[in-house]
């Protein structure tokens, strides 16, 4: 996930771009750069690290042109060093890219065969090569971009500029967001409204497969074949309340949209980008006070965590509500990757079932608030029994954070909506890191598998951005969905907790009957519930249980249920079996649950909204349950 900005107008583009990048720094900050016209050429300045490093470098530079692009990076392909920072320049072309080009290896190999020389480790650089090659072949900037778009597979939003077209920016996207705003004298195009609002409140949101052509202050939109399309301008008219919600109708929707960022923030501290390895950062087992964590020596702390994990014979995951479902995902991940036995418990059950907590147990408590009474009691019980307790909290310095032996943070930012959204996806990302760390400690994770899993994890925020596009599908489908008698969510393996979470969200927000089931359990009773008034949400990603899940889907279909299936990539079989098939990016089994969350969250949100329910404060509930 990265942030991009382009500017064409009378101001110094560097000022506008850097201001814009500041508002986008939440999208990534491991390097930044600009390419701005000067004396008819793009002058490119890039810097490793935070935007402030780029600002220091820019302080002594002058630019006389009026067009430029900029980027703040969150690394996926290639470590966060200057050569991998954007913009990428080839010949007279410069580009900035947010997303992932999935077929980059094939395209790069073809270009290298033709003699292209790559100067970075990124997937993005090849876009600059492709555009520049098309221009060298006689195309203008517009037609060069139209020619190369069909070659790109994956998630992308891109700005492309070329020195021969000093008033033009080409922008195109499939997945990650792009917004353009224009006033009488200038055009700003960026990943997020925040970078545009200082200049105008009249904007256009680019949809997937749309292309924007900026020429001076003129903007035109096209489809990917180069056919002109018309688009409606959106006037942003925010009340103070909307500003707090950043334009979203509800905090919940804002928080759903924040997930690519919060997932990145959760995993960032624990991944070494250069070596593609996991290294839990400053967990602080045995340190005693959370205040001490910052002062810890990272290397010594990591060794200490590895030693503790190595000695662990049994893991308990304990939490309530949505956090409990995160724990279930952790159970599948830790058990499968590290071959360590894991038990996952609801805190109110755990604390009263007189659990047997053998020696060398690790109890992981999960809580967004860090204050949930039952989970806190479970933590205390586990410590009294002599277990090491690792807390995963969002609120730093909360009771659980202070009382636990080791500490990890969701880093999701404040979650206002009572319905938990981003805390769950962040925890799932974090649990991927914990499971890999446990597997490493147990000698169960070969280097190549670790690199593969880390790469999948790093690609997750970008994939999440594309999945958010299902917002419009559910906004439209909600008026039909709300009339169903009930909802049955089904999944297997690591997807099963997402089925439970989908049902919880529907109950909590829309007050409708909803059940989450392990798909294999259907024929043991719940199949009797199914008729045409029941909506079935089937989580059927392409994993080792896929065929079995499809059989369960066929059973449900035979009973007349209306089926929404959620699977991986283009899948004609699932599409034919379902009333609606939602394709998610094809990712590793460890990541599927994170992506599946987004459609189930959006579905509950829109059904509840269409029923006029109080989304951010559902009846009878509280954000933090500090009583039994
Ligand atoms: O703060 P916690 O994570 O400990 O809260 C646990 C549950 O109360 C919470 O996840 C609840 O289930 C949410 N409202 C679900 O959206």
């Amino acid at each position: 996930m990265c942030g991009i900005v382009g500017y064409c107008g009378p101001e110094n583009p560097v000022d506008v771009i850097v201001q814009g990048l500041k508002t986008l720094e939440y999208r990534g900050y491991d390097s930044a750069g600009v390419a701005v016209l000067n004396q008819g050429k793009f002058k490119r300045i890039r810097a490793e690290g935070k935007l402030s490093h780029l600002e220091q470098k820019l302080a002594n530079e002058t630019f006389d042109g009026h067009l430029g692009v900029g980027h703040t990076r969150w690394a996926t392909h290639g470590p966060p060093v200057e050569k991998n920072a954007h913009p990428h320049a080839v010949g007279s072309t410069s580009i900035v890219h947010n997303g992932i080009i999935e077929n980059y290896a094939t395209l790069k190999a073809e270009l290298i065969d033709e003699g292209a020389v790559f100067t970075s480790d990124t997937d993005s650089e090849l876009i600059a090569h492709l555009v520049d090659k098309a221009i060298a072949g006689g195309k203008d900037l517009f037609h060069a971009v139209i020619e190369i778009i069909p070659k790109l597979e994956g998630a992308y939003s891109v700005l492309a500029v070329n020195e021969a077209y000093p008033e033009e920016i080409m922008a195109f996207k499939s997945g990650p967001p792009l917004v353009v705003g224009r006033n009488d004298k200038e055009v700003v195009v960026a990943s997020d409204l925040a970078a545009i609002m200082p200049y105008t409140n009249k904007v256009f949101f680019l949809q997937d497969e749309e292309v924007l052509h900026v020429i001076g202050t003129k903007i035109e939109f096209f489809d990917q074949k180069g056919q002109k399309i018309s688009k409606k301008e959106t006037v942003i008219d925010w009340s103070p309340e909307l500003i707090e919600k950043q334009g979203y109708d509800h905090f919940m929707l804002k928080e759903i949209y924040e997930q690519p960022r919060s997932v990145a923030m959760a995993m960032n501290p624990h991944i070494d980008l250069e070596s593609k390895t996991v290294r839990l950062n400053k967990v602080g087992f045995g340190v005693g006070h959370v205040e001490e964590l910052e002062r810890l020596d990272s290397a010594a702390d990591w060794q200490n965590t590895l030693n503790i994990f190595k000695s662990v014979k049994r893991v308990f995951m304990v939490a309530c509500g949505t956090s409990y479902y995160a724990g279930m995902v952790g159970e599948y991940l830790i058990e499968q990757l590290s071959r360590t036995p894991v038990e996952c418990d609801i805190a109110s059950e755990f604390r009263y079932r007189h659990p047997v907590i053998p020696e060398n147990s690790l109890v992981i408590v999960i809580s967004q608030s860090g204050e949930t009474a039952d989970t806190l009691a479970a933590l205390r019980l586990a410590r009294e029994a002599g277990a090491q307790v690792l807390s995963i909290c969002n609120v730093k310095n909360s009771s659980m954070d202070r009382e636990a032996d080791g500490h990890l943070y969701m880093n999701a930012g404040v979650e206002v909506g009572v319905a938990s959204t981003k805390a769950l996806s962040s925890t799932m990302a974090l649990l991927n890191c914990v499971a890999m760390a446990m597997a490493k400690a147990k000698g169960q994770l070969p280097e190549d598998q670790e690199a593969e899993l880390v790469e999948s994890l790093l690609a997750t925020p970008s994939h999440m951005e594309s999945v958010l596009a299902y917002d419009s599908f559910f906004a439209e489908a909600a008026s039909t969905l709300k009339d169903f008698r009930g909802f049955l969510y089904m999944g297997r393996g690591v997807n099963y907790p997402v089925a439970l979470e989908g049902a919880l969200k529907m109950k909590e927000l829309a007050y409708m009957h909803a059940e989450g089931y392990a798909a294999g359990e259907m024929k043991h009773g719940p199949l009797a519930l199914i008729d045409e008034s029941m909506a079935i949400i089937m989580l059927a990603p392409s994993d080792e249980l896929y065929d079995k899940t499809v059989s369960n889907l066929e059973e449900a279909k035979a009973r007349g249920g209306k089926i929404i299936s959620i699977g991986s990539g283009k899948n004609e079989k699932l599409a034919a079996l379902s009333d609606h098939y939602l394709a998610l990016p094809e990712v590793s089994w460890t990541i599927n649950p994170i992506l599946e969350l987004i459609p189930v969250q959006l579905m509950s949100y829109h059904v509840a909204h269409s029923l006029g329910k109080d989304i951010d404060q559902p009846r009878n509930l509280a954000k933090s349950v500090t009583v039994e």
Side-chain angles (χ1 to χ4, degrees), residues 367-386:
S367 174
Q368 189 284 132
S369 60
E371 302 294 347
T372 301
D374 284 318
T375 315
L376 185 58
L379 176 157
R380 289 175 179 158
L381 184 151
R383 291 200 78 217
E384 272 163 30

Side-chain angles (χ1 to χ4, degrees), residues 365-517:
V365 292
I366 302 172
S367 174
Q368 189 284 132
S369 60
E371 302 294 347
T372 301
D374 284 318
T375 315
L376 185 58
L379 176 157
R380 289 175 179 158
L381 184 151
R383 291 200 78 217
E384 272 163 30
Q388 290 277 358
V389 175
L390 172 62
S391 65
I392 298 184
C393 295
N394 195 32
V395 178
K396 287 192 180 170
N397 271 305
S398 55
S399 301
M400 280 180 232
D401 186 26
R402 278 186 275 112
E403 293 189 30
D405 300 294
H407 319 262
L408 286 170
Y409 299 103
M410 300 173 189
N411 287 344
V414 180
E415 193 179 65
V416 178
V418 165
S420 188
T421 50
K422 58 181 180 170
L424 175 56
S425 47
S426 287
T427 308
M428 287 181 180
L430 205 48
L431 285 168
N432 264 268
C433 299
V434 173
M436 280 189 261
M438 182 71 76
K440 279 171 89 151
K442 301 279 186 194
Q444 294 282 348
L445 192 64
E447 274 174 25
D448 52 345
Q449 193 192 356
E450 181 178 6
E452 243 173 67
L453 290 172
V454 167
E455 277 197 27
S456 320
L457 195 53
L458 286 171
T460 306
S462 291
H463 287 314
M464 292 174 89
E465 291 205 311
S466 354
V467 179
L468 283 165
Y470 282 117
D471 191 8
S472 49
F473 168 78
F474 285 113
E476 211 177 301
S479 56
T480 313
L481 287 168
K482 73 175 186 352
D483 296 328
F484 279 92
R485 183 171 53 88
F487 299 86
L488 263 175
Y489 294 77
M490 290 187 245
R492 279 173 173 263
V494 73
N495 312 290
Y496 166 44
V498 180
L500 294 170
E501 169 65 3
L504 174 63
K505 282 286 159 292
M506 190 57 86
K507 287 186 257 216
E508 183 179 23
L509 292 160
Y511 318 152
M512 290 186 71
H513 173 241
E515 301 278 353
Y517 257 93

